[in-house]
Structure formats: structure tokens, C-alpha cells
Amino acid sequence: MNGRFGRGCRVAAALLTLAACHSGPVRPAARPTGAPGRPSGVLTWAASAERLGTGIAGAEYRMIVHTSVGGGALRVRFTNAFGDRPLTLDDVYAGPRARGAALRPGGNHALTFGGARRITLPAGAVAWSDPLPGRVPAGTDLAVSLRTPDAVGPASGHELALQTSYLGQGGGHTAEDGGGHWTLTTGSWWYVDAVAVRPDRPATGAVAALGDSLTDGRQSTPDRDRRWPDHLARRLHAARGPVQGVADEGISGDKMLADGTGDGAGQSVLHRLDRDVLSQPGVRTVVLFAGVNDLKARTGVTAADLAAGYRQLVRRAHAAHLCVVAATISPFKGWPEWDRTAEAVRREVNRFLRKSREFDAVTDFDRTLRDPHDPERLRPDYDGGDHLHPDDRGMRALADTVDLNRLDCAR
């Protein structure tokens, strides 16, 4: 993590004795006994789960997430995807934030699970809460508060939130509207990976942005919702079309084909497709923007290897009646791992993407971000400073490149 978010995460990690984030063991998702399964409705927020540090018994978390589509019957999905033992959650609440860690007065409501006030998730499991009454508008900062009474072992969540969330002190504060006891901060989301609502228009769908750190928003401004999926959500809301929800399913360091092995590197796009996209409510379209980490890792991945991975994803998504929009791989000359071999593969992959008729649409992120004077590099005015990740202006340009009319196909 970079900047003050990196420092904030390290401070919180030191205070809570959290271990460094890294990829964890893989097991099929189980369903807790008595917990509701996949809900109706549509995703309004999501963040791909990865393995974080060690769970802390008695810890309290107040996570701040930002909705993309409004609606009622709000449900939250909790995850123990990377846990190696059961995880109990209790004192779970959700409500609209006012400012900082404080909620709007009277807006903090208890979440239940099959009517129960606590839930135990088996290792590898996810579970949805029961629906809450009332309506949550689009563009709301939602606070999800919870306690982990006996957590130990690997924790699940999302490392690079680019959003300040809060850690409680003293215990017993998740039901409170006020933020006075939430004095520690974290730059990660813990144990929550999706929020769904029943939209005002029943036919409303969602798009899942599936990718790596460029989709995760690295180098965009923290606490301002300036990742390209955030900008896309605002465009869709203004257009008032059939697709309104946006889920940011990007993981920094993620590859298309291979699971990560280093700190913070998660399961591959192909590995996590079911959990992060196909099992989510209301997802109608996948925007796939991945592959650069496969290239810069210097593992010998070829254009044919990546093309085969793209085709596998398309087959699985189409079998689930989802549209697939492929994005070309953006340039990264100047990044330390760039070399001529990787550049040649990138160009070959992009030619495949532009010419292939297997996708429902193609959005040319490469053309948007590349320097017209040196197409192997990012445009200087879009470069976040490391020659790989776009800044806020570049993130907005990516969102503006997406043809909104191609996000809803006949599948």
C-alpha cells in the first residue's frame, strides 16, 4: 500500500498484531447451516476477498463502503473464504454514514442471519445477511460494523480499500451511531465482500469490473472514490439505463492465469470467477481488464496462453448468461519489469482482443491510456507516477471509454 493508507494500515496492523497480507489456501465455498444463500436483487458494492493477516479475537470493525445503485432490502455478504477454521461474527450492524466513523442518527440497524443475531461461517464459506427494511440511495457511504469474538487464524477481506475504515476500542460499540470509540483506522475491508439491494426498477442489473491493481484503483486518490469503476458507476447512474450497479472486483497483483505467491497477491481471475462474479446477484456483464501482471512477472506466458484464458472465461460467463466486455492491456514501459518480450506479447494479445468475435464487446483501454508519441508508455498526463497505474484523470478516461450501450447484451 502507498502513502498515508499504507502508513495507516501499518499502524493498525501493529496495534492489532496483524500479519502481512498474502495468498491463502483454496477450498470451495461452503454455506453456513441456516444462513441465507444467494439473494435476489442486484449488487450495489463489492470487493474481491483475499487473505489478510491474522484474525483478532474480540476485535471490532466499522467498514465504510460506497453504494452504486439505490434500493431497499439491503443485504451484506460476509466472507471466511481464506479462513482455516470457523469464524463467528456477532453484533453486526449497518447504516448510512454521516462523517468519519459516525453514522446518521437512528440509522444503524442490526443485521441478522436467518433471524439469528450471530453467525458462524465454516472455513471457506460466505453468507448473506437477512434484508434490512428501508431504502439506501445510490452514492451512499454505508458503514458495516461487526465484532469477531473468537477469531484466530487467517482473516479474509480486501487489502487495498483506498477508503478509511475504523477499528473500535473497548468493545461493545458496533450498535452506536457515534464515532467516538472508533479512533483507530485501517485501509482494508475486513470480512465483508459484497452488498446487494432490491432496486427500484426490478429489471436493473449490475456490471462486475474484473481485474488487477488498475481496476483496484492503485494511484487514485484515497477516500474520494476515483477508481475507474467508481467513475463508471456515476456515468451509469446519470444515464439511468438498465445497468446501474457496479462491483469493483479488482485485486492488486492479480494475474489472469496463475494464483499469486507473494504478499497481497490473490487468486487468479479464472480461479475466483465463480465467487466474485458468477455467484453474485444481478450481475449482467463482466468487464475484463487483466493480463498485465502475467506479462510483467516474466513467467514465459505467451499470447496464446492468455487467449486461452480469455476464452475459458468467456465460455463460463456465457454459460451463466452474462455478457463479457474485454479491455485491451494498457502500456507499462518505464515500470521496472517491462521488457521487449513482454511488450511484444502485450501487442499480440491486444490484436487478438480487437479482432476476436468471441466477446460481446471490446473496450480499448490501451488506446485511451497510451502516449501518442510513444505507444509503449502511458500518457504523461494520465500517469500516476509509476508508469503502470493511471492517476485520477486516467481513471476517469478509462470509465469514459466504456460504451454504456454495450454493457447490456441479449444473453
Side-chain angles (χ1 to χ4, degrees), residues 16-17 24 34 41 46 52 57 113 119 122-123 142 158 161 178 185 199 243 249 318-319 321 334-335 358 372 398:
L16 294 178
T17 64
L52 298 183
F113 304 87
I119 188 170
L142 182 75
H158 189 84
T185 63
V243 176
E249 302 286 13
H318 282 177
H321 309 292
W335 179 266
E358 298 170 62
L398 289 180

Side-chain angles (χ1 to χ4, degrees), residues 41-46 68-69 195-197 199 202-209 232 236 241-248 277 280-287 322-323 407-408:
V42 63
L43 278 183
T44 188
W45 174 87
S68 58
V69 59
V195 179
V197 295
T204 300
V207 58
L232 179 62
L236 288 168
V243 176
Q244 292 279 305
V246 176
D248 188 335
V277 178
Q280 299 280 26
V283 173
R284 192 168 297 173
T285 301
V286 183
V287 178
L322 271 62
C323 310
L407 293 181
D408 189 29

Side-chain angles (χ1 to χ4, degrees), residues 88-93 109-120 130 147 174-175:
T88 296
L89 305 176
D90 65 8
D91 296 335
V92 186
Y93 285 77
H109 298 288
L111 290 174
T112 58
F113 304 87
R117 294 292 295 270
R118 67 160 49 194
I119 188 170
T120 298
D130 299 328
R147 188 175 78 98
T174 60

Side-chain angles (χ1 to χ4, degrees), residues 206-211 228 232 243 247 249 256 269 272-273 276-278 282-290 313-314 316-318 320-327 359-363 402 406-409 411:
V207 58
L210 187 59
W228 73 259
L232 179 62
V243 176
E249 302 286 13
M256 179 72 187
V269 166
R272 60 190 178 88
L273 178 66
D276 289 348
V277 178
L278 303 185
V283 173
R284 192 168 297 173
T285 301
V286 183
V287 178
L288 175 64
F289 183 28
L313 185 143
V314 168
R316 291 166 62 188
H318 282 177
H321 309 292
L322 271 62
C323 310
V324 180
V325 177
F359 306 101
D360 299 288
V362 175
T363 185
V402 178
R406 304 301 298 275
L407 293 181
D408 189 29
C409 66
R411 296 187 183 279

Side-chain angles (χ1 to χ4, degrees), residues 37 73 87 111 164 177 185 195 197 203 219 239 259 282-283 289 294 327 339-340 349 377 384 393:
L87 169 72
L111 290 174
T164 300
D177 295 340
T185 63
V195 179
V197 295
Q219 300 297 97
D259 289 349
V283 173
F289 183 28
D294 299 75
D339 59 25
R340 290 289 174 191
V349 169
R377 291 183 179 270
R393 288 187 61 192

Side-chain angles (χ1 to χ4, degrees), residues 138-217:
T140 296
D141 280 346
L142 182 75
V144 179
S145 307
L146 61 88
R147 188 175 78 98
T148 54
D150 53 10
V152 289
S156 302
H158 189 84
E159 181 191 1
L160 186 66
L162 292 173
Q163 170 66 58
T164 300
S165 290
Y166 301 90
L167 308 170
Q169 291 192 86
H173 303 298
T174 60
E176 297 174 0
D177 295 340
H181 292 98
W182 300 88
T183 57
L184 306 179
T185 63
T186 175
S188 300
W189 287 305
W190 297 81
Y191 303 112
V192 57
D193 73 345
V195 179
V197 295
R198 184 177 60 229
D200 299 332
R201 291 182 293 170
T204 300
V207 58
L210 187 59
D212 48 43
S213 56
L214 282 82
T215 297
D216 210 6

